[in-house]
């Protein structure tokens, strides 16, 4: 393998000016081939990134791809916990993230030390954690889940099994309501999904009477209650393809609208508006830190790289593998 130049990472990424004469997309394509690299992108990425990615998907799909790819390098176009999950599942591969500052407010809302103390207060409980957590939390978890398989994973456990669900309170409460369980729910939340305005969604519905309201389970309960369908990003996408309606009011991060439009070009998609009309709060500021230029520099200089202690990775791997095994068994 050729040696690559080492650049200092500033503010989380390689801030190296790109020659304006080059075509960044073409360069990414040739670097990808030359280095046997794969670009995995979450549905919340910018459209132009989704268009050049080898694979676009939700967090469950992406973890499966990360576990099975035969590429030497994974460039993760998404947020830090997703890249960490990829590294844990493919420790022998080089996993790169174009911007280390691409975090997650939900993962941040569950600090390891506080969670460890919380767990100690519930010694007879099993821990099921949403994938939007740090590796430290996954290492304290029995089974990881995503919004696609959370319901099935919880349902696969004995009815009398006591459970701590972390970190998203809206997803946890939603699963409690549809399964009749009484899980102890960690009070974490996502800054994007808790910002949707019920009032403004209802105004839109009044103007578009035939529209279906669809929402991610990370949204607050009032938004969930008016939704015609609640589901993960891939479930929302599927619903827009299969439902006869022509208009959809979409209460999740706006990046998913790109795949919805590609899949159903004749249909109309309206991004649900946030409470604060002066900001684009339905954009995840962390997801949107990733750009084509940063992907190019990351592929070229093979930095920033996701690295973790082996002991931590091994511990966290157990709970992620359990999720993949249960999902495979249940055909999800
Ligand atoms: P999905 O599990 O639907 O991919 O969602 C991930 C996420 O970050 C939601 O905000
Ligand atoms: Fe995290 Fe919310 Fe961004 Fe998803 S949308 S990555 S939960 S901050």
């Amino acid at each position: 393998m050729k040696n690559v130049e080492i650049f200092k990472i500033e503010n989380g990424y390689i801030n190296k000016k790109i020659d304006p004469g080059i075509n960044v997309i073409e360069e990414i394509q040739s670097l990808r081939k030359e280095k046997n690299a794969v670009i995995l992108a979450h549905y919340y990425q910018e459209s132009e990134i989704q268009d050049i990615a080898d694979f676009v998907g939700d967090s469950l799909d992406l973890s499966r791809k990360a576990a099975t790819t035969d590429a030497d390098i994974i460039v993760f176009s998404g947020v830090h916990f997703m890249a960490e999950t990829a590294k844990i599942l493919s420790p022998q591969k080089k996993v790169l993230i174009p911007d280390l500052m691409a975090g997650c407010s939900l993962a941040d809302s569950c600090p390891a030390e506080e969670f460890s103390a919380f767990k100690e207060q519930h010694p007879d409980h099993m821990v099921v954690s949403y994938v939007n957590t740090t590796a430290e939390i996954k290492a304290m978890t029995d089974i990881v889940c995503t919004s696609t398989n959370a319901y099935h994973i919880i349902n696969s456990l004995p009815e009398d099994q006591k459970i701590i669900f972390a970190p998203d309170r809206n997803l946890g409460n939603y699963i409690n309501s549809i399964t009749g369980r009484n899980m102890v729910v960690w009070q974490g939340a996502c800054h994007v999904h808790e910002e949707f305005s019920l009032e403004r969604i209802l105004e839109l519905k009044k103007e578009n009477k035939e529209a279906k309201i669809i929402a991610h389970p990370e949204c607050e309960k009032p938004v969930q209650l008016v939704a015609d369908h609640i589901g993960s990003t891939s479930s929302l996408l599927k619903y827009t393809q299969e439902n006869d309606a022509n208009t959809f009011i979409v209460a999740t991060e706006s990046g998913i609208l790109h795949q919805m439009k590609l899949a159903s070009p004749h249909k109309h998609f309206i991004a649900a508006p946030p409470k604060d009309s002066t900001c684009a709060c339905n954009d995840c500021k962390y997801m949107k830190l990733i750009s084509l230029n940063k992907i190019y520099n990351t592929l070229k200089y093979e930095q920033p790289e996701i690295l973790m202690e082996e002991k931590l990775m091994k511990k966290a791997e157990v709970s992620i593998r359990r999720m993949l095994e249960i999902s495979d068994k249940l055909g999800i």
Side-chain angles (χ1 to χ4, degrees):
M1 203 184 275
K2 266 199 293 179
N3 280 340
V4 285
E5 275 179 272
I6 302 292
F7 277 93
K8 217 173 115 203
I9 294 166
E10 281 173 55
N11 301 321
Y13 64 99
I14 300 170
N15 192 2
K16 173 118 179 31
K17 235 182 155 167
I18 295 174
D19 176 355
I22 69 161
N23 179 323
V24 172
I25 294 178
E26 278 173 19
E27 291 297 321
I28 290 174
Q29 310 291 25
S30 72
L31 281 168
R32 172 161 56 190
K33 256 191 226 145
E34 183 194 312
K35 299 187 179 209
N36 188 28
V38 70
I39 300 173
L40 304 183
H42 189 266
Y43 283 135
Y44 295 165
Q45 290 291 285
E46 298 284 6
S47 312
E48 58 191 19
I49 295 176
Q50 296 188 33
D51 290 344
I52 58 123
D54 294 280
F55 184 78
V56 186
D58 72 0
S59 44
L60 177 61
D61 301 329
L62 292 171
S63 62
R64 280 202 177 110
K65 277 282 165 206
T68 53
T69 178
D70 53 12
D72 295 314
I73 296 178
I74 298 173
V75 177
F76 214 107
S77 263
V79 292
H80 198 268
F81 75 81
M82 296 178 177
E84 266 189 355
T85 305
K87 180 69 184 174
I88 292 165
L89 290 170
S90 284
Q92 72 290 1
K93 298 196 160 63
K94 195 177 241 189
V95 177
L96 306 169
I97 183 161
D99 192 329
L100 281 169
M101 304 297 259
C104 168
S105 57
L106 179 52
D108 290 347
S109 68
C110 192
E113 223 170 282
E114 286 167 41
F115 187 71
S116 168
F118 183 74
K119 209 182 137 174
E120 270 172 34
Q121 287 164 15
H122 302 88
D124 50 350
H125 287 57
M126 182 178 215
V127 178
V128 178
S129 295
Y130 194 26
V131 69
N132 299 40
T133 49
T134 59
E136 283 79 9
I137 298 293
K138 290 187 177 82
M140 290 186 242
T141 292
D142 295 294
I143 314 175
V144 167
C145 71
T146 73
S147 45
T148 294
N149 58 23
Y151 166 78
H152 301 92
I153 285 182
I154 298 298
N155 248 356
S156 74
L157 300 173
E159 260 175 50
D160 57 352
Q161 175 65 58
K162 292 182 181 166
I163 303 167
I164 293 177
F165 187 88
D168 191 75
R169 58 182 166 211
N170 298 309
L171 176 62
N173 293 337
Y174 172 67
I175 301 292
N176 268 343
S177 74
I178 57 172
T179 58
R181 301 255 178 174
N182 189 20
M183 301 187 296
V184 178
V185 177
W186 179 266
Q187 294 300 303
C190 154
H191 76 288
V192 179
H193 290 89
E194 285 215 329
E195 267 308 308
F196 291 115
S197 158
L198 175 66
E199 217 180 319
R200 295 179 73 200
I201 289 175
L202 291 177
E203 276 166 24
L204 278 172
K205 173 76 178 173
K206 231 191 230 172
E207 291 159 19
N208 301 273
K209 290 203 170 42
E210 308 305 320
K212 297 284 182 199
I213 299 172
I214 57 175
H216 198 280
E218 287 172 26
C219 294
E220 290 177 316
K221 188 162 185 182
V223 172
Q224 292 182 13
L225 286 175
V226 298
D228 295 288
H229 178 68
I230 299 169
S232 62
T233 42
S234 52
S235 161
L236 299 182
L237 173 61
K238 193 162 174 253
Y239 183 83
T240 61
Q241 289 171 269
E242 293 175 353
N243 192 277
D244 289 340
N246 272 314
T247 306
F248 298 86
I249 298 166
V250 185
T252 191
E253 212 272 356
S254 55
I256 186 66
L257 267 67
H258 181 56
Q259 294 300 324
M260 290 177 174
K261 288 175 190 164
L262 286 178
S264 309
H266 54 287
K267 294 188 180 177
H268 183 45
F269 301 97
I270 307 170
K275 292 169 192 157
D276 178 355
S277 56
T278 59
C279 79
C281 304
N282 48 12
D283 273 349
C284 172
K285 63 179 179 185
Y286 302 109
M287 285 279 181
K288 267 38 184 196
L289 281 177
I290 311 293
S291 65
L292 281 180
N293 282 358
K294 287 181 188 170
I295 291 175
Y296 166 72
N297 273 336
T298 289
L299 255 175
K300 193 164 161 70
Y301 302 111
E302 298 180 23
Q303 288 181 90
E305 183 176 359
I306 300 285
L307 295 168
M308 276 167 282
E309 274 181 33
E310 209 182 312
K311 208 169 131 200
L312 174 65
M313 289 205 285
K314 285 249 173 317
K315 262 183 135 180
E317 186 185 356
V318 177
S319 56
I320 306 172
R321 293 262 175 220
R322 277 203 194 118
M323 164 183 84
L324 294 176
E325 278 160 27
I326 298 174
S327 303
D328 287 348
K329 220 191 264 169
L330 297 174
I332 305 159

